[in-house]
Amino acid sequence: MNATQVLVLNSGSSSLKYQLLDMPAGRRLATGLVERIGEDGPGRLVHTPAGTNGDGDGDSGRRERELPLPDHAAALRAAGEELAADGLGLDSPELAAIGHRVVHGGRTFTEPTVVDERVLAEIERLVPLAPLHNPANLAGIRTALAINPDVPQVAVFDTAFHTTIPDHAACYAIDAEVAAEHRIRRYGFHGTSHAFVSRRTAELLGRRPEEVNVITLHLGNGASAAAVAGGRCVDTSMGLTPLQGLVMGTRSGDIDPAVVFHLSRVAGMSVAEIDELLNSRSGLRGLCGDNDMREVVRRMDAGDTRARLAFDVYIHRLRSYLGAYVAVLGRVDAVAFTAGVGENATRVRTAAVAGLDALGLAIDERLNTAAVRGPRLISPEYARVAVAVVPTDEELEIATQAFALVNA
Ligand code: AMP
């Protein structure tokens, strides 16, 4: 019998998220989160076996414990113990692959890739482009390799879906030699989500991905838009780093780069301080103090003017990208909202397309506000462009890609 399980690992600097899925159906067998790895004090592990719903909606089987977690190896071993307690396991013959989310694949990795020494070295070489993320991803891969060297480890890159973006959209208009030497160009992120959502949107329309042009709006705490033509990404809002583009929970998105020089000269801020300002104290939080869209909308409805401005700035930027990508694509078949804000914030969806009838965009408020989960259309039947809500599932996409690769 062929092995059918895929363990998906998403390693952050101090956390490890994992999901065990049975493929090809994508059924979740267990999910978990290990936090506070390598920090002072005990770490924490939450494990949820199947039957309790991997989304955390269920309850009974959920297990939680505190334990010493000096490093990622300890975290993965602890996750392995929890899986073993459910009769699953890191060394189970059922395990077909371990799929790793890797944030930056540069221009090298255009597809999911089985990890070997050469691949590890290349991910290492890309560390300067993602100094926080790639080292954590590498730690996860190395740990998994040490624990189970026999099962294929597949790296799935956040940037891969965007490697089809043509040069005229990916190049910044700066000195070409400087750009080449330092690998400065638009890479884009959230690619696994944009790939998954654009394909699901085509399915929702009853068409093949090659037949449709889709604008995907991944609006979570981080946020990005992508223009997808016939299944291939042709533009995206994030750039060299995930700081560019839309207004996010705590990140500024687009600003005049001269703001950085200005803050340095006039405010005497260091590069590290400006980095922290733009990544952690900007976006919705910078504008109004809250980075959670639920709170922003609640305060706005209570008459809070700062929250109102934050919402309006967020929406203005979103609409600017929507309009830009209509121009990039020429013909648009669908706009898809996804991630925490995109899937849940009805008000954001309404405001994003309000008054855009001339572009063929409209929303049916009854459909928009219906308490329905799962992929769905929220545009009226007459609308030229379908507007959809498509829940993203990056773990399922990573498992799907990893499983396909090891069975190819
Ligand atoms: P994500 O990064 O995809 O997990 O999205 C997290 C963000 O989604 C949160 O910070 C909230 O701003 C937003 N969010 C989650 N649930 C809701 C909701 N019901 N309404 C509005 N925003 C939501």
XYZ file of all heavy atoms in Angstrom, residues 18 25 33 39 78-79 86 94 104 126 192 206 213 249 270 282 327 367:
127
model
N 2.060 22.758 12.539
C 2.082 21.518 11.765
C 0.680 21.004 11.497
O -0.249 21.278 12.252
C 2.927 20.442 12.468
C 2.432 20.024 13.838
C 1.535 18.951 13.985
C 2.852 20.683 14.990
C 1.092 18.560 15.232
C 2.404 20.298 16.238
C 1.517 19.234 16.356
O 1.065 18.865 17.603
N -7.206 13.184 -0.672
C -8.469 13.819 -0.274
C -8.228 15.107 0.530
O -9.069 16.000 0.544
C -9.303 12.832 0.557
N 0.279 23.507 17.081
C 1.079 24.724 17.136
C 2.034 24.619 18.315
O 1.606 24.328 19.439
C 0.150 25.932 17.317
C 0.821 27.271 17.641
C 1.683 27.737 16.475
C -0.236 28.325 17.958
N 12.824 30.624 23.595
C 12.637 31.833 24.412
C 12.824 31.507 25.892
O 12.872 30.347 26.275
C 11.234 32.415 24.162
C 11.105 32.958 22.749
C 9.772 33.631 22.485
O 8.926 33.694 23.407
O 9.581 34.090 21.354
N 8.582 17.096 20.109
C 7.356 17.167 20.919
C 6.122 16.962 20.045
O 5.189 16.246 20.424
C 7.290 18.516 21.648
N 6.132 17.566 18.863
C 5.010 17.371 17.929
C 4.913 15.899 17.544
O 3.814 15.327 17.488
C 5.201 18.244 16.694
N -1.512 9.622 18.988
C -2.734 9.388 18.200
C -2.547 8.248 17.209
O -3.375 8.057 16.306
C -3.107 10.649 17.406
C -3.483 11.802 18.310
O -3.896 11.543 19.449
O -3.363 12.955 17.861
N 3.246 5.248 6.812
C 2.172 5.940 6.105
C 2.599 7.308 5.578
O 1.903 7.933 4.781
C 0.985 6.166 7.062
C 0.269 4.904 7.466
C -0.436 4.287 6.290
O -1.136 5.018 5.575
O -0.246 3.071 6.072
N 11.238 32.357 1.100
C 11.903 32.963 -0.056
C 12.651 31.950 -0.897
O 13.592 31.324 -0.447
C 12.870 34.056 0.403
C 12.874 35.237 -0.521
N 13.104 35.109 -1.868
C 12.645 36.556 -0.300
C 13.030 36.313 -2.433
N 12.744 37.204 -1.501
N 19.819 32.478 0.034
C 18.741 33.461 -0.093
C 18.405 34.136 1.241
O 17.528 35.000 1.292
C 17.484 32.773 -0.664
C 17.633 32.284 -2.112
C 16.500 31.314 -2.464
C 17.638 33.460 -3.076
N 1.547 30.626 -2.378
C 0.807 29.376 -2.201
C -0.682 29.664 -2.084
O -1.514 28.953 -2.644
C 1.314 28.659 -0.930
O 2.736 28.553 -1.020
C 0.730 27.280 -0.793
N -16.693 27.029 -12.864
C -16.879 25.882 -13.758
C -15.954 25.936 -14.962
O -16.257 25.406 -16.035
N -9.074 34.845 -16.101
C -8.217 35.855 -15.488
C -8.823 36.248 -14.146
O -10.000 36.614 -14.069
C -8.119 37.096 -16.376
C -7.345 36.828 -17.645
O -6.706 35.783 -17.793
N -7.389 37.767 -18.573
N -2.095 44.860 8.514
C -2.393 45.024 9.931
C -1.414 45.972 10.611
O -1.805 46.937 11.260
N 17.423 55.351 13.179
C 18.330 54.383 12.551
C 17.546 53.512 11.568
O 16.309 53.478 11.599
C 18.954 53.492 13.623
O 17.949 52.657 14.177
N 2.883 50.379 11.745
C 2.257 51.097 10.638
C 0.965 50.383 10.266
O 0.378 49.703 11.092
C 3.240 51.185 9.468
O 4.370 51.939 9.854
N -6.377 46.877 -15.339
C -5.587 47.378 -16.477
C -4.497 46.382 -16.869
O -4.230 46.167 -18.049
C -4.973 48.731 -16.122
N -26.003 38.035 -0.621
C -24.999 36.967 -0.710
C -23.756 37.325 0.106
O -23.140 36.474 0.753
C -24.603 36.740 -2.174
C -25.717 36.267 -3.109
C -25.222 36.207 -4.552
C -26.214 34.886 -2.676
